[in-house]
Amino acid sequence: MSVHEQAKRAREAAAALATATRATKDTALLAMADALVARAGEILAANAEDVSSARDNGLTAAIIDRLSLTEGRVEAMAGALREMAALPDPVGEVVRGSTLPNGLELRQVRVPFGVVGIIYEGRPNVTVDAAGICLKSGNAALLRGSSSAARSNAALTAVLRDAVAATGLPADAIQLLDASSRDSVKELMRARGLVDVLIPRGGASLIKTVVEESTVPVIETGVGNCHVYVDAAADLDKALTVLLNSKTQRLSTCNTAESVLVHAAVADAFLPRALAAFQEAGVTVHGDPAVAAYSDTVVPATEEDFGTEYLSADISAAVVDSLSSAVAHITRYGSQHTEAIVTESVAAAREFVARVDAAAVMVNASTRFTDGGEFGFGAEIGISTQKLHARGPMGLPELTSTKYIVTGDGHIRS
Amino acid sequence: MSVHEQAKRAREAAAALATATRATKDTALLAMADALVARAGEILAANAEDVSSARDNGLTAAIIDRLSLTEGRVEAMAGALREMAALPDPVGEVVRGSTLPNGLELRQVRVPFGVVGIIYEGRPNVTVDAAGICLKSGNAALLRGSSSAARSNAALTAVLRDAVAATGLPADAIQLLDASSRDSVKELMRARGLVDVLIPRGGASLIKTVVEESTVPVIETGVGNCHVYVDAAADLDKALTVLLNSKTQRLSTCNTAESVLVHAAVADAFLPRALAAFQEAGVTVHGDPAVAAYSDTVVPATEEDFGTEYLSADISAAVVDSLSSAVAHITRYGSQHTEAIVTESVAAAREFVARVDAAAVMVNASTRFTDGGEFGFGAEIGISTQKLHARGPMGLPELTSTKYIVTGDGHIRS
């Protein structure tokens, strides 16, 4: 079936989903969870084929790990759906409302987008998460996963679609697109009028392609060149803890710190400790000359280093002469994802928060906190790094639009 | 100067605007208003040249009227700026916030977009409105008006920039782009990273071009094929009043009704009255055979008529056999702008509101109410017909993004 035909079916399914009650949607989510567990055998069998192909194709151990499912991982996917069922329904929420001077009653109410397209990489759990989040928010999902997970995703969506249909909602609320060629991505990007929003998840090149070529509105996600700035007024113990956690708690996430900026006034006291801690943690520091002066373990940083999202055990480092210099550096090299300051000074914190342009600004906290789960959203479809519509972690409300409802008694405009 | 260079200057100006207090911004708005009045002479002189060229080029009387300024119109533009000064500042508003289980304090706060590009047609008052709305919301404005208003717009922006600079804010907060060629539009559409959002106002073809070619995120505005549905349970007096107001109160606006759907059960009672009223008002009705049966003044409607935004003294009309048929017709032909139902039935109103997918749904009220001023927003930059970010009339909050601010005491993620 063509993507266009799938999108048309999604559009019809979306009309039914838009008016489905929370009770119906939650019943479907729980049925989806139960079905995943009940049919884990066929899911794991399909996944074993994907994993075997991935081994034959020489994919890395890290990719194979992300691709691999176990009974425990299937249980976890089911658990995520059960948690979504427990979350409030964003649809129908009155965002604002008033009675106008002429007596008209005005309400702005959350409604689903309609059809959401998601392009993502190898992890099969994203298939389940995205399908669940879209269904809970009343949207039909067009899922374009990785070809490496094609058999796993086909098995998962077959199970989910059956469960959805059994609860009386249209199975086409969840559809998997052909992952065997790039054509399905191209068709999805040109399906304006049928697809309401496209969310690319994955590497910078995929996101760039989609942003440049899509006529469907896009929510850009996920590139994070995050900084930790250690201010002149920092508590250096907190600074060390926050910096290490930001860099090393997980290396390959978009909210991992990739650069540290240290105020010159505390460089002597802080950098020797930080460099030793990074060496112990196996992290290579790419530093400017001022940083390199503190240790011969420092690799000289190039201009390119400061603009790089390493996603590895590397960090760039520089000494700055003021908070303003730190902000200027971040403005130049940052990706507007998450930026952190460590300081005991209220004035410095205020200035940093006001002047840094990013989805999230941390004061005395790890960059790793920029996350829908940590923020208490309960479900997350990605982290937006654009300013339009949603910025930062996107939960259920971010998958909705709004509609104005105006009620009168024959009111006319004069 | 190239658009790229202007966009870079706008970006720098935006950094200053983002941290400007409400008091500073309001002072600038009032200074802009005063300057318009004080320097009305040079504005009117420049406008007279534009009007003279427009006459020489044979532009229509309607276009020349929209282009023409008078002392009264300059006063009105100044008045709009003074009203903006009185509106609350959207920047800094805490949209949501909580203390997380680990003690982290989370706030989501409104921040300006940064740089907003606006492409618009011949009316010079849009130059002042857009500059004012952008400044109040902390955004730098890149204004690309019509070539027919080039001299008026140059005079207006010169006055506004001087006033802004005199209050200590950067003059480059307001910049006019070269309107003499399409190149400035093209450059603006490709200025991703410098321009945060692009708002095209004007005809369907401009909007289509921008949506298809822009890599800068776009907010689509303004095409309205709006319907009035007269339900079986309508009060027919209200229906007639609402329908006539929706069609004739102003013919050329996007919230003007372009189509009427009448339930078969009330066709006999309603259509003769409606057709007579339209004839009296000079409105041509393009009807399906069921409508045409009531009067030989009805022009047979083609398929194309039902999809047309006339913006003239024309309306398409059809008889439908149910509310569901009305919704299906609207889903097929509508532009998701404003749709109205006239009914005394709570059940019918509920169903219509739930099933019609549009920025605004009116119950017993004229489609003409979809307007930032009528909704009490105080200022409007356009009416969004897309679902991403803003839908319906866009006021000051719609010109902002948000930023998460997370404050801790050395918090790390475990």
Side-chain angles (χ1 to χ4, degrees), chain B residues 336-409:
Chain B
Q336 306 194 339
H337 189 298
T338 300
E339 307 297 350
I341 181 173
V342 184
T343 188
E344 297 299 303
S345 157
V346 172
R350 261 174 68 95
E351 188 180 347
F352 188 84
V353 162
R355 291 180 57 195
V356 165
D357 188 15
V361 183
M362 302 286 161
V363 179
N364 298 330
S366 169
T367 57
R368 290 275 297 131
F369 282 112
T370 303
D371 175 273
E374 294 294 324
F375 280 10
F377 297 170
E380 182 193 284
I381 190 82
I383 297 177
S384 164
T385 49
Q386 73 179 31
K387 293 184 185 172
L388 209 67
H389 185 76
R391 199 178 192 203
M394 291 186 283
L396 292 167
E398 282 70 29
L399 279 178
T400 64
S401 182
T402 61
K403 176 194 276 185
Y404 283 103
I405 301 167
V406 185
T407 308
D409 188 37

Side-chain angles (χ1 to χ4, degrees), chain A residues 66 123 222-226 245-258 309-312 337-338 366-371 380 383, chain B residues 413:
Chain A
R66 283 200 289 269
R123 291 184 304 168
V223 174
N225 183 18
C226 307
N245 186 264
S246 297
K247 178 69 234 181
T248 64
Q249 202 252 342
R250 261 184 79 186
L251 292 175
S252 64
T253 60
C254 59
N255 57 19
T256 299
E258 305 289 8
E309 184 189 23
Y310 294 112
L311 301 171
S312 63
H337 189 298
T338 300
S366 170
T367 57
R368 289 277 296 130
F369 281 112
T370 303
D371 175 272
E380 181 192 284
I383 296 177
Chain B
R413 192 162 159 189

Side-chain angles (χ1 to χ4, degrees), chain B residues 11-46:
Chain B
R11 189 115 223 114
E12 280 165 35
L17 281 171
T19 54
T21 61
R22 172 175 175 182
T24 303
K25 292 187 287 189
D26 290 350
T27 301
L29 287 168
L30 295 174
M32 287 157 67
D34 292 345
L36 287 178
V37 175
R39 292 169 64 180
E42 61 190 275
I43 294 166
L44 293 175

Side-chain angles (χ1 to χ4, degrees), chain B residues 2-16:
Chain B
S2 71
V3 171
H4 187 82
E5 179 60 30
Q6 288 185 287
K8 275 173 69 178
R9 290 181 181 213
R11 189 115 223 114
E12 280 165 35

Side-chain angles (χ1 to χ4, degrees), chain A residues 242-399:
Chain A
V242 165
L243 175 60
L244 281 175
N245 186 264
S246 297
K247 178 69 234 181
T248 64
Q249 202 252 342
R250 261 184 79 186
L251 292 175
S252 64
T253 60
C254 59
N255 57 19
T256 299
E258 305 289 8
S259 194
V260 55
L261 304 174
V262 180
H263 192 288
V266 292
D268 280 355
F270 184 70
L271 274 171
R273 290 176 65 189
L275 294 174
F278 276 134
Q279 196 178 7
E280 193 173 327
V283 174
T284 303
V285 177
H286 305 254
D288 70 357
V291 174
Y294 289 98
S295 166
D296 53 15
T297 62
V298 173
V299 176
T302 63
E303 175 79 8
E304 199 189 337
D305 276 303
F306 291 110
T308 297
E309 184 189 23
Y310 294 112
L311 301 171
S312 63
D314 295 86
I315 191 166
S316 64
V319 172
V320 291
D321 58 8
S322 65
L323 189 148
S324 276
S325 298
V327 171
H329 182 105
I330 289 168
T331 301
R332 180 162 178 196
Y333 297 106
S335 62
Q336 305 195 339
H337 189 298
T338 300
E339 307 298 349
I341 182 174
V342 184
T343 188
E344 297 300 302
S345 157
V346 171
R350 262 174 69 94
E351 187 180 348
F352 188 84
V353 162
R355 291 181 56 195
V356 164
D357 188 15
V361 183
M362 304 285 162
V363 178
N364 297 329
S366 170
T367 57
R368 289 277 296 130
F369 281 112
T370 303
D371 175 272
E374 294 293 325
F375 279 10
F377 297 170
E380 181 192 284
I381 191 83
I383 296 177
S384 164
T385 50
Q386 73 180 29
K387 291 185 186 172
L388 208 67
H389 185 76
R391 199 177 192 202
M394 291 185 284
L396 291 167
E398 281 72 26
L399 279 177

